[in-house]
Amino acid sequence: MFADRAKILIRSGKGGDGHVSFRRELYVPNGGPDGGDGGRGGDVIFEVDEGLNTLQDYRHKRKYAARDGEAGGKRRCHGADAEDIILKVPEGTVVKEAESGKVIADMSGDNRRQIILKGGRGGLGNQHYATATMQVPKYAQPGQPSRELWVTLELKVIADVGLVGFPNVGKSTFLSRVTNARPKIANYHFTTLNPNLGVVDLPDGKGFVIADIPGLIEGASEGVGLGHEFLRHIERTKLMIHIVDAAGTEGRDPVEDIYKINAELEAYNPDIAGRPQIIAANKIDVIFQDGEDPIARLKAEFEPKGIPIYPISGATGAGIRELLYAVAEKLKETDQAPVVFAQEYFPEEELIYENLPYTVKPEDGVYVVEGPKIEKMLGYTNLDSEKGFAFFQKFLKDTGILEELEAAGIQEGDTVRMYGLQFDYYK
């Protein structure tokens, strides 16, 4: 079974805890703090593997977790960093946050490797908290917690041209004739259960990649038949070849077929429906001139709308050369940049605002802010950078900590302490 969709749970590694210890050496009666830092937790990384073409492996295993970092030790020993977990996926895989459906990463184009969840940073040992007024710190920073996220993986094939049309209109036969693809072909509906890719080689380097999108029928965008399972595969295509049975061998009207399929594309994604389209009027070898000319009718209906008609026969090869050159010329006019889906969900920012408790209380003239939310934010934020400091200020405002401080009576110039961080408050 071709697997182009999967849902998995990913988890980064927890950072190792910092250590609390003090030097215990002969002739050193008042040894200072020497607790070591914890190691970094493992990242969750997605990487493109050229040898894969399905998501089958992710149908059997649903949970993937990186290892936790090692705790720090005495004598300033640093805990070992954990190994990252690398998840291999085929090119074209889009990673989405499961609940919202927002894109986290598109593993295509230049993006061959991306960190999706960062491991927790190791906690600082108590050696870092010694000050002139606190020479025996008995506090060490815990390692930052792991992050957990349900994601969906969707494989959207990478092709320049998509073949669309009702089942049994000759898409697979056409693809096998013009490319190196060898799809299984038989005379019944839903013959093609997998998206078939092939490369069209034309002189002067005008080749392109073409994909046969299977199972598209009326109602596909609403989940009827198999079409909704495969519509995602035309989201990257720049142009559509709409193959229609011009001879009406199964009693269907070719003009109505085109309108029905285009309605499904519009319902699924209006952007796709608006892309350039060329109609391939197939099976001209079995058209019998005993009534209205179906090719003339198709041209009269669609060419005024800017959609060219090319009569072809997948069985005999008639008209296919002209069609392929027309497609190559049309592709030259389109945007050559690959279709890549932009990131919409940023785990680094989204997961830090989890509903974790915190407290704000005055102690000896210092306003102490504590809680797992604060520790988590400090562990993931580089306050030495301009961007990190701006994020820190936004965090204080968005989480209501500034309001809590003002409600507690803080004045400009008063001191705020958040674990190892201490600063003066100014509006």
Side-chain angles (χ1 to χ4, degrees), residues 58-240:
Y58 298 99
R59 289 290 184 91
H60 306 297
K61 184 180 176 182
R62 304 294 295 277
K63 297 181 179 180
Y64 297 85
R67 293 184 177 276
D68 297 337
E70 192 176 85
K74 54 188 176 182
R75 297 184 181 177
R76 304 193 176 194
C77 286
H78 195 291
D81 292 340
E83 286 188 11
D84 302 325
I85 183 170
I86 299 175
L87 305 181
K88 302 291 184 73
V89 294
E91 184 175 8
T93 299
V94 179
V95 183
K96 296 182 177 181
E97 197 274 323
E99 186 174 346
S100 66
K102 292 181 178 179
V103 174
I104 301 173
D106 184 351
M107 306 305 297
S108 62
D110 295 331
N111 189 25
R112 318 306 286 178
R113 179 184 171 96
Q114 182 169 333
I115 298 173
I116 302 298
L117 287 183
K118 285 192 175 180
R121 201 162 71 182
L124 299 176
N126 69 331
Q127 60 173 309
H128 295 278
Y129 296 103
T131 65
T133 56
M134 188 193 300
Q135 298 183 6
V136 189
K138 296 181 180 179
Y139 165 79
Q141 188 181 38
Q144 298 308 307
S146 63
R147 295 177 169 190
E148 197 172 88
L149 192 64
W150 279 99
V151 297
T152 56
L153 309 180
E154 290 185 359
L155 178 57
K156 301 177 189 284
V157 300
I158 298 174
D160 302 303
V161 177
L163 292 184
V164 296
F166 273 87
N168 214 29
V169 295
K171 299 198 303 295
S172 296
T173 303
F174 173 80
L175 188 72
S176 66
R177 178 172 283 276
V178 303
T179 76
N180 54 4
R182 293 292 177 264
K184 295 178 181 178
I185 301 167
N187 188 30
Y188 53 88
H189 285 187
F190 302 118
T191 301
T192 309
L193 298 182
N194 303 341
N196 287 309
L197 282 179
V199 178
V200 176
D201 290 317
L202 295 175
D204 304 323
K206 294 180 180 178
F208 50 86
V209 180
I210 193 168
D212 172 15
I213 311 304
L216 198 57
I217 65 172
E218 187 177 9
S221 60
E222 300 170 3
V224 177
L226 300 174
H228 70 295
E229 290 295 328
F230 300 107
L231 276 166
R232 70 178 66 94
H233 292 299
I234 54 176
E235 291 187 21
R236 295 190 195 273
T237 57
K238 303 182 180 75
L239 182 149
M240 235 62 76

Side-chain angles (χ1 to χ4, degrees), residues 259 279 295-311:
Y259 280 123
I279 294 174
I295 303 300
R297 182 167 168 244
L298 285 166
K299 288 187 175 185
E301 184 71 26
F302 294 104
E303 288 193 340
K305 296 179 172 66
I307 304 175
I309 308 293
Y310 283 85

